[in-house]
């Protein structure tokens, strides 16, 4: 039997023996994880699906590169929620281990692809805002819909390729190398490389938003100084400032939700994790779902276009409910009048 090695000072887990990675020991812990995953996952799917509907139901938003990137972010969050909740709950709550190494790595690759694409979509959105504020006069020439779709294609292919490396052979069982303490079959060197990839993405996003915030502050100061000039350029600048602040809120939530997971991942590479820390990691993983759930709420509250579209949807829904409630009464009134006649 092929044996996967983990750190020398930890117990060995065979390919067919996954119990050592099931860190939830009590029924209360399993119920808590299942509740969090079910709640966050359901809300995340509903909210992000609503965001996609609001964007693509309006010609004004679906044609803008900014909202194409936000659509990619929403799609990635939906896929991440579905794959993560199903695989995570199935493994940690129901203790289902009747699958092959390839099946597990394929599921893990789906989760990694979705979360990496989510973060990469946020990077493209940051770069879009960077170009919009740095070169407003050339923005429409530089950021076209064709280039936006090409960027999204490269993004998803790159994320899928990186996430597929373990199932293609870069795993500790195939290489007979050191396994991760957090993920079965995952090579420590691959985990280190994936963490570096995520950290580079975060660094680029922080750099882009630092510039965006500095320019946004300059725009606000300029508009306050020239209050009499209320033209098209001033409106454009106000929209850029609003969207920049919105995306910075998204980035803040992202960092707060992902920091505990990344810190524990990095710590696991250099030191042995106790059972308590591994349980903490399991619960911190649900924060990734929380991040995906909070993003659409920020869009609805901060984006005037999406908020207006949302109000129109609710208005149509209320009219439909009112019409459906009144129609039976109207029909009964019509029937009674016919009988009297």
């Amino acid at each position: 039997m092929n044996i996967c090695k983990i750190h020398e000072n930890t117990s060995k887990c065979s390919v067919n023996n996954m119990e050592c990675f099931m860190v939830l020991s009590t029924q209360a812990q399993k119920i808590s994880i299942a509740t969090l995953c079910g709640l966050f996952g359901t809300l995340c799917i509903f909210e992000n699906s609503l965001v996609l509907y609001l964007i693509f139901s309006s010609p004004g938003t679906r044609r803008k590169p900014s909202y194409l990137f936000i659509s990619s972010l929403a799609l990635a969050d939906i896929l991440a929620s579905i794959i993560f909740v199903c695989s995570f709950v199935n493994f940690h709550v129901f203790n289902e281990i009747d699958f092959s190494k390839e099946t597990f790595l394929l599921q893990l690759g789906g989760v990694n692809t979705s979360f990496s694409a989510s973060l990469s979509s946020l990077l493209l959105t940051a770069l879009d805002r960077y170009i919009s504020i740095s070169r407003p006069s050339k923005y429409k020439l530089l950021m076209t819909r064709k280039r936006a779709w090409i960027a999204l294609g490269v993004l998803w292919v790159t994320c899928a390729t990186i996430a597929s490396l373990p199932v293609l052979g870069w795993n500790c069982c195939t290489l007979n190398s050191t396994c991760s303490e957090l993920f079965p079959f995952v090579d420590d060197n691959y985990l280190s490389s994936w963490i570096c990839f995520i950290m580079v993405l975060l660094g680029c996003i922080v750099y882009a938003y630092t510039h965006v915030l500095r320019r946004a502050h300059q725009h606000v100061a300029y508009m306050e100084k020239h209050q009499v000039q209320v033209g098209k350029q001033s409106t454009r600048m106000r929209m850029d400032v609003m969207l920049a602040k919105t995306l910075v809120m998204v980035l803040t939530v992202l960092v707060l939700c992902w920091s505990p997971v990344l810190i524990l991942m990095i710590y696991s590479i250099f030191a042995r994790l106790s059972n308590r820390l591994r349980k903490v990691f399991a619960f911190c993983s649900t924060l990734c779902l929380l991040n995906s759930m909070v993003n659409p709420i920020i869009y609805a509250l901060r984006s005037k276009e999406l908020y207006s579209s949302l109000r129109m949807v609710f208005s149509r829904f209320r009219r439909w409910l009112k019409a459906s409630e009144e129609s039976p009464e109207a029909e009964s009134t019509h029937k009674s009048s016919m009988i009297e006649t």
Side-chain angles (χ1 to χ4, degrees):
M1 180 181 295
N2 186 14
I3 301 296
C4 295
K5 298 179 181 178
I6 53 178
H7 293 291
E8 295 180 357
N9 55 353
T10 62
S11 59
K12 293 182 178 180
C13 298
S14 68
V15 176
N16 297 321
N17 186 12
M18 307 281 288
E19 285 82 1
C20 56
F21 290 96
M22 298 176 181
V23 296
L24 303 181
S25 56
T26 65
Q27 194 68 18
Q29 294 173 356
K30 294 181 180 180
I31 293 176
S32 299
I33 284 289
T35 302
L36 291 175
C37 289
L39 178 62
F40 293 161
T42 302
L43 290 176
C44 178
I45 293 172
F46 171 76
E47 292 171 0
N48 283 286
S49 299
L50 181 60
V51 169
L52 289 177
Y53 172 77
L54 293 177
I55 291 176
F56 286 98
S57 63
S58 173
T61 54
R62 67 169 176 259
R63 295 174 181 173
K64 295 182 179 180
S66 301
Y67 289 101
L68 288 180
F69 299 146
I70 293 177
S71 301
S72 175
L73 177 61
L75 177 61
D77 286 337
I78 292 175
L79 295 177
S81 299
I82 296 174
I83 302 174
F84 177 83
V85 170
C86 293
S87 58
F88 194 80
V89 172
N90 194 42
F91 182 79
H92 285 287
V93 177
F94 298 108
N95 301 137
E96 180 63 42
I97 57 175
D98 188 20
F99 48 77
S100 63
K101 176 191 69 177
E102 289 75 17
T103 301
F104 179 85
L105 291 177
L106 190 61
Q107 293 176 351
L108 184 63
V111 174
N112 287 345
T113 299
S114 303
F115 280 126
S116 299
S118 176
L119 187 59
S120 300
S121 299
L122 191 57
L123 173 60
L124 288 182
T125 309
L127 294 177
D128 175 73
R129 290 300 90 199
Y130 180 91
I131 297 174
S132 176
I133 290 183
S134 299
R135 300 182 179 180
S137 59
K138 298 182 180 179
Y139 172 76
K140 291 185 178 180
L141 295 177
L142 296 175
M143 188 58 66
T144 61
R145 294 183 73 250
K146 181 179 179 180
R147 291 181 178 180
W149 281 111
I150 292 176
L152 289 175
V154 173
L155 178 158
W156 281 91
V157 170
T158 301
C159 292
T161 301
I162 294 175
S164 302
L165 293 178
V167 75
L168 295 177
W170 192 355
N171 57 78
C172 56
C173 298
T174 302
L175 300 177
N176 196 28
S177 57
T178 303
C179 291
S180 169
E181 290 186 83
L182 297 173
F183 307 101
F185 315 128
V186 174
D187 180 70
D188 256 352
N189 292 327
Y190 171 79
L191 182 61
S192 302
S193 302
W194 187 82
I195 293 173
C196 291
F197 172 65
I198 296 299
M199 297 300 290
V200 168
L201 289 179
L202 285 173
C204 292
I205 293 174
V206 170
Y207 173 80
Y209 277 126
T210 301
H211 180 83
V212 168
L213 280 179
R214 185 171 62 250
R215 294 300 297 268
H217 178 73
Q218 293 174 356
H219 283 179
V220 171
Y222 176 84
M223 287 185 292
E224 290 178 351
K225 185 177 180 180
H226 302 80
Q227 293 181 356
V228 293
Q229 299 180 2
V230 187
K232 185 177 180 179
Q233 183 68 17
S234 179
T235 303
R236 171 74 178 275
M237 288 162 57
R238 288 181 183 275
M239 291 176 60
D240 288 341
V241 170
M242 178 63 71
L243 189 53
K245 291 181 179 179
T246 299
L247 297 176
V248 168
M249 292 174 61
V250 174
L251 176 61
T252 302
V253 173
L254 178 78
V255 172
L256 291 177
C257 291
W258 274 86
S259 293
V261 173
L262 290 176
I263 291 173
L264 288 174
M265 283 184 184
I266 296 173
Y267 182 77
S268 70
I269 297 174
F270 300 101
R272 178 182 177 181
L273 292 178
S274 63
N275 289 334
R276 182 173 176 273
L277 284 179
R278 294 169 70 188
K279 290 179 182 179
V280 171
F281 178 79
F283 279 91
C284 287
S285 299
T286 61
L287 292 177
C288 302
L289 281 178
L290 177 63
N291 168 71
S292 299
M293 184 193 75
V294 171
N295 284 344
I297 298 176
I298 299 177
Y299 301 151
L301 293 178
R302 300 288 297 178
S303 174
K304 290 185 178 180
E305 292 176 290
L306 291 184
Y307 184 72
S308 299
S309 299
L310 183 61
R311 291 184 61 182
M312 292 178 60
V313 169
F314 283 151
S315 178
R316 289 197 299 265
F317 182 71
R318 285 196 300 266
R319 288 198 300 267
W320 179 81
L321 285 179
K322 186 176 180 180
S324 63
E325 291 176 356
E326 293 177 351
S327 57
E329 298 177 359
E331 184 177 356
S332 61
T333 303
H334 177 71
K335 288 183 178 179
S336 61
S337 62
M338 292 292 293
I339 293 174
E340 292 176 358
T341 304

